[in-house]
Amino acid sequence: MDSMDTSVTPSRASGPATPSLDSNATMDASRENRSREQARPPHRSGRGRDNPRGRGGGRQRKEMGRTEWSRNKGDRRARNDAEAVKRQKVSDERERPIYAVDFSKEDIEAEERRPKRKVAVMIGYSGSGYKGMQLNDKEKTIEGDLFGAFVAAGAVSKANANDPKKSSLVRCARTDKGVHAAGNVISMKLIIDDKDIVQRINDNLSPQIRVWGIERANSSFSAYQLCDSRIYEYLIPTHCFLPPHPDSFLGKKLVELADEAGDREGYEARQKDLATFWSETEEQYIQPILNALDPSLRYSVLEALHENESRKVTKAIVPVDASEIKTGPERDQKVERDKVLPEGDWVMGLDGPLDSNPTANSALPTSDGPKIRSELAGLEKPDEIKLEELMTSGKSSEVKLEALETPEKPGEIKIEEQETKLLKPKQLSPEETAIRELKAAYIKAKKAYRIHPDRLARIKSSLFRYIGTKNYHNYTIQKNFRDPSSKRIIKTFVVNEKPILIGDTEWLSLKVHGQSFMMHQIRKMVSMVALVVRCGCHEGRIQDSYMADKIVIPKAPGLGLLLERPVFDSYNAKMAGQNDRNPIGFKKYEKEMEEFKQREIYERIFREEERDNQFHIMFSSIDNLRTSQLLYLSSMGIAATKEDGNGDVTEIKVEEAVDGGSSDDDEHPEDG
């Protein structure tokens, strides 16, 4: 009997077949894939089911067709007004900037609407008393005053008077606090249909700020982006190139390390033109004062004059050594007092920072600020010096220090405000008077110096070391050697070989032409040249500063720096000519600019230096600063900064000691 085939073949009429194991696995996989698709986030790059906006970010049309959507998209002006209201609500929640000018809704609606034009505004200014060029919500700045003048003159509409961004304001070069500019450029949209608009703007500005002219520009013009390069000038007294005093810390270390490096002959050759300067100064200016002193005072006076002269009182904190208030054997007792001073005030001696020696600082005038007198004689073992806040609004700035014994805290000393009774100046002792006379004599001797041609040649040769593309990571802040932005191009850096004589002080004019500059770069470049020349250092040390080693370069005072003019040659040659626009430049304003420079910049620089002695203070502080961080200026080079064998050398931050512990600049580079 043949075997029977027991397999069942499903027929169409017999209903659905029972699924096999393979088909079950396939269905499970399909369900799993669908679940994953549903859980996946929407695809955002391109038009698709989950992104109806599409690649271009257009409005969502939902189920409407193109014609229906465009017909129902609403009034564009109404949408803009609604968005403006939202922005205004957010703006109201923030603190109002000091430069903003607010008008009522009625005033804005009543004002006639006039067209704005993209323009280049040529300006000049003296930076004294201003917190730099750039707008600052809480500080007085050049742009803040300019914007207010634009509004007052009608060049900015009332609707845009509360926010310079609405006028697309862009500056060409952003200068630091106290830095001047004979020529600078800002680009923005202004209403310029009034032919006397420049005069109207200047009528609303202080004499420190001038608008030279306004030129129409292309709609895409940016004063920052289209500037080819900038030219800066730096004015510096020639006495800044004098070598450190032989009795100063740096003066002694330079000789000591020259001997150690076997370079004493080379060091003396580089200082040959001033080999007898200090001995002649001592004989002519100092010895007559010492001869008039009691012999018992001479040693203490000289010791106080040169010892610890670098101790600086910062703008905010006044650290005081206990030896200033010691009696008897309590010399090592350490006491610190914190005294709040108004911003910008310094407590200093006649010609420099506050000395830690008590005999040098009995009557301490501040620069343009209140006079602080200390009556500490006769106090025994004070446990604490407590200085309360000195300045309160609407009260006298005259204060005095009194010893107030209280049951709770015997010996506590407090500052009391005197609103009606002014403090009488303290009578100086013979020793204190002598110290002040000696300091004044040193300043007089420095101002009488006239630079030697050999030293001028060294300055010229050192400046030439900056030409080309170099790595300036040591000449700014927050940059390292590997940062590509640390490399900058310097086209020229020259010194005018004819010094300027103002009063009894001789000045040099240095001019640098570069593509762009980083924060503090120019001031540190000038300072580096001055340090190299005055310390008898080899010029190759400037080349070493471009290498990976990190060195400290103090920045020269901002007082001497001014932006001469930015350069727009490429724009003038191409874009301006093609669009029938006048070139952007300062040639036709040269006469007015020169008068302004003499009156508002040069004279202000000379006057402020005569009053404050900023350059003298800086280099005196450097010379007496007990640190190895500046010994790269010696014959040993950078290696000397990495070894510190002196127990009496205190490693401190040079910038804090020289600059007073706080920067006087905004946190932006000169050129933005």
Side-chain angles (χ1 to χ4, degrees):
M1 181 177 173
D2 295 336
S3 61
M4 293 182 63
D5 186 3
T6 58
S7 63
V8 178
T9 302
S11 63
R12 189 176 301 271
S14 62
T18 303
S20 65
L21 293 176
D22 290 341
S23 62
N24 284 334
T26 302
M27 294 174 65
D28 290 341
S30 177
R31 283 195 295 269
E32 185 177 349
N33 288 339
R34 284 198 299 271
S35 299
R36 278 201 296 265
E37 287 291 335
Q38 293 171 359
R40 184 178 298 167
H43 186 60
R44 299 194 181 277
S45 61
R47 191 184 300 275
R49 182 181 61 193
D50 297 318
N51 185 20
R53 294 172 61 90
R55 229 179 248 280
R59 296 185 179 279
Q60 185 174 355
R61 300 179 181 178
K62 297 183 178 179
E63 302 300 327
M64 293 188 295
R66 179 179 299 175
T67 304
E68 184 182 0
W69 175 81
S70 61
R71 189 182 298 124
N72 292 279
K73 62 182 181 180
D75 180 36
R76 186 173 181 179
R77 176 169 292 182
R79 291 200 312 274
N80 291 341
D81 291 343
E83 291 173 1
V85 171
K86 291 179 181 178
R87 286 196 302 269
Q88 185 64 38
K89 288 181 179 179
V90 174
S91 177
D92 291 342
E93 293 174 359
R94 296 195 299 264
E95 187 176 351
R96 179 181 175 274
I98 62 172
Y99 53 79
V101 183
D102 293 321
F103 291 94
S104 66
K105 184 178 179 181
E106 292 75 16
D107 289 339
I108 294 174
E109 292 177 349
E111 184 182 32
E112 178 187 359
R113 292 197 174 190
R114 294 180 292 169
K116 295 183 295 184
R117 308 295 183 191
K118 191 63 167 291
V119 297
V121 185
M122 277 69 73
I123 61 174
Y125 52 85
S126 168
S128 298
Y130 287 89
K131 189 70 174 179
M133 167 72 175
Q134 187 184 12
L135 287 167
N136 188 307
D137 289 356
K138 299 180 181 179
E139 302 281 357
K140 183 181 178 66
T141 65
I142 300 296
E143 284 184 348
D145 278 16
L146 274 170
F147 185 73
F150 292 150
V151 174
V156 172
S157 66
K158 294 178 180 179
N160 296 335
N162 63 347
D163 187 1
K165 292 180 181 178
K166 296 178 181 179
S167 299
S168 305
L169 189 152
V170 176
R171 83 282 308 167
C172 172
R174 179 165 43 194
T175 52
D176 293 339
K177 173 186 174 183
V179 177
H180 318 289
N184 201 350
V185 175
I186 59 175
S187 57
M188 61 187 304
K189 295 177 181 178
L190 292 180
I191 301 168
I192 56 171
D193 51 3
D194 186 347
K195 64 178 182 179
D196 297 324
I197 189 64
V198 172
Q199 183 60 46
R200 293 185 62 183
I201 293 171
N202 283 328
D203 289 343
N204 288 280
L205 288 170
S206 74
Q208 276 187 246
I209 307 175
R210 293 291 89 183
V211 172
W212 305 125
I214 298 176
E215 296 290 353
R216 283 285 304 275
N218 298 337
S219 59
S220 60
F221 176 75
S222 167
Y224 175 66
Q225 296 292 340
L226 295 179
C227 178
D228 296 324
S229 55
R230 290 107 175 150
I231 300 174
Y232 281 85
E233 182 179 16
Y234 194 93
L235 296 174
I236 183 170
T238 56
H239 64 69
C240 295
F241 299 94
L242 287 169
H245 193 282
D247 290 333
S248 67
F249 173 79
L250 185 57
K252 294 176 181 178
K253 295 298 289 185
L254 291 175
V255 175
E256 176 187 325
L257 293 174
D259 288 337
E260 188 176 335
D263 186 43
R264 181 66 175 268
E265 186 177 343
Y267 170 76
E268 291 180 347
R270 292 187 289 271
Q271 302 282 41
K272 183 179 179 180
D273 59 307
L274 288 168
T276 61
F277 174 82
W278 286 113
S279 60
E280 293 172 355
T281 296
E282 300 289 338
E283 181 180 352
Q284 181 179 353
Y285 294 91
I286 306 304
Q287 200 60 44
I289 299 175
L290 294 177
N291 290 340
L293 284 178
D294 188 304
S296 62
L297 293 177
R298 291 176 188 171
Y299 178 79
S300 60
V301 166
L302 289 175
E303 185 182 41
L305 191 64
H306 294 296
E307 184 180 356
N308 295 331
E309 207 170 3
S310 64
R311 286 286 301 275
K312 174 159 286 189
V313 181
T314 70
K315 297 179 182 179
I317 302 296
V318 183
V320 179
D321 194 283
S323 61
E324 294 190 61
I325 55 171
K326 69 182 187 307
T327 58
E330 302 301 324
R331 184 176 185 85
D332 295 330
Q333 180 184 3
K334 296 296 180 182
V335 181
E336 183 177 273
R337 71 183 179 190
D338 291 347
K339 175 170 65 60
V340 179
L341 293 179
E343 184 177 355
D345 286 344
W346 288 79
V347 177
M348 61 180 71
L350 177 66
D351 68 329
L354 178 65
D355 297 336
S356 62
N357 190 293
T359 61
N361 305 293
S362 297
L364 304 174
T366 61
S367 175
D368 288 340
K371 294 183 178 181
I372 312 299
R373 306 289 189 228
S374 298
E375 300 285 341
L376 297 174
L379 299 180
E380 295 186 3
K381 300 182 182 180
D383 296 324
E384 175 184 13
I385 293 182
K386 181 180 179 182
L387 292 164
E388 298 180 353
E389 188 174 347
L390 300 183
M391 297 300 141
T392 55
S393 59
K395 295 187 178 181
S396 171
S397 62
E398 292 289 337
V399 296
K400 80 174 183 178
L401 188 63
E402 289 187 343
L404 302 177
E405 293 266 340
T406 61
E408 296 81 7
K409 294 185 178 180
E412 181 177 301
I413 303 171
K414 294 183 179 180
I415 289 289
E416 285 194 347
E417 297 175 357
Q418 303 294 313
E419 298 187 26
T420 56
K421 183 180 179 181
L422 300 181
L423 183 66
K424 295 180 180 180
K426 180 185 175 181
Q427 187 69 32
L428 297 179
S429 68
E431 183 176 351
E432 294 164 344
T433 302
I435 291 170
R436 287 178 172 272
E437 289 178 357
L438 288 173
K439 289 183 176 183
Y442 275 119
I443 292 178
K444 184 177 180 180
K446 286 184 174 183
K447 289 181 176 180
Y449 170 68
R450 301 296 177 257
I451 196 163
H452 192 278
D454 291 347
R455 190 144 296 241
L456 193 61
R458 285 204 70 207
I459 296 171
K460 184 177 179 180
S461 179
S462 298
L463 292 174
F464 185 77
R465 299 266 178 172
Y466 290 127
I467 307 301
T469 303
K470 312 291 184 183
N471 191 320
Y472 289 98
H473 72 103
N474 277 318
Y475 291 80
T476 186
I477 60 173
Q478 299 176 354
K479 297 281 186 184
N480 59 55
F481 177 72
R482 298 185 181 278
D483 191 334
S485 65
S486 297
K487 294 184 178 180
R488 299 293 163 126
I489 301 172
I490 303 299
K491 297 184 176 184
T492 61
F493 207 153
V494 297
V495 55
N496 189 335
E497 297 186 13
K498 293 182 179 180
I500 308 166
L501 188 62
I502 304 296
D504 56 353
T505 305
E506 186 181 59
W507 294 72
L508 289 178
S509 171
L510 313 178
K511 287 191 178 181
V512 56
H513 184 187
Q515 189 175 43
S516 61
F517 299 93
M518 296 178 289
M519 186 176 184
H520 304 329
Q521 180 184 341
I522 298 174
R523 293 163 63 184
K524 284 177 177 279
M525 291 168 75
V526 171
S527 176
M528 185 65 171
V529 168
L531 291 171
V532 165
V533 173
R534 72 192 299 270
C535 292
C537 180
H538 193 278
E539 295 170 11
R541 200 71 72 244
I542 295 177
Q543 202 70 28
D544 296 340
S545 69
Y546 306 141
M547 301 297 107
D549 287 306
K550 192 69 179 174
I551 62 174
V552 176
I553 305 175
K555 59 180 181 288
L559 173 69
L561 181 61
L562 69 102
L563 172 63
E564 186 172 275
R565 61 185 172 90
V567 178
F568 291 88
D569 288 345
S570 297
Y571 172 83
N572 292 337
K574 297 178 182 179
M575 302 178 69
Q578 293 175 2
N579 294 276
D580 193 26
R581 302 284 189 233
N582 292 329
I584 296 173
F586 297 88
K587 189 173 183 179
K588 57 184 176 182
Y589 313 116
E590 285 180 352
K591 183 179 179 181
E592 298 93 326
M593 289 175 66
E594 193 61 34
E595 293 175 355
F596 178 81
K597 283 168 66 175
Q598 292 293 336
R599 183 183 69 254
E600 295 294 337
I601 299 180
Y602 289 159
E603 290 183 12
R604 192 179 296 271
I605 291 174
F606 304 143
R607 186 169 61 248
E608 290 185 18
E609 174 58 18
E610 182 70 22
R611 182 192 68 201
D612 300 332
N613 294 311
Q614 292 185 33
F615 288 94
H616 167 78
I617 290 173
M618 173 193 169
F619 288 105
S620 294
S621 299
I622 289 173
D623 293 348
N624 293 282
L625 194 61
R626 291 182 173 273
T627 176
S628 65
Q629 294 182 47
L630 294 173
L631 296 184
Y632 63 83
L633 298 166
S634 69
S635 300
M636 293 289 289
I638 294 178
T641 65
K642 300 177 181 179
E643 298 179 3
D644 190 0
N646 272 336
D648 63 339
V649 175
T650 304
E651 288 295 336
I652 61 175
K653 293 182 179 179
V654 176
E655 288 288 352
E656 291 182 0
V658 175
D659 299 328
S662 62
S663 174
D664 60 353
D665 310 304
D666 56 29
E667 294 303 316
H668 302 285
E670 276 93 348
D671 292 335

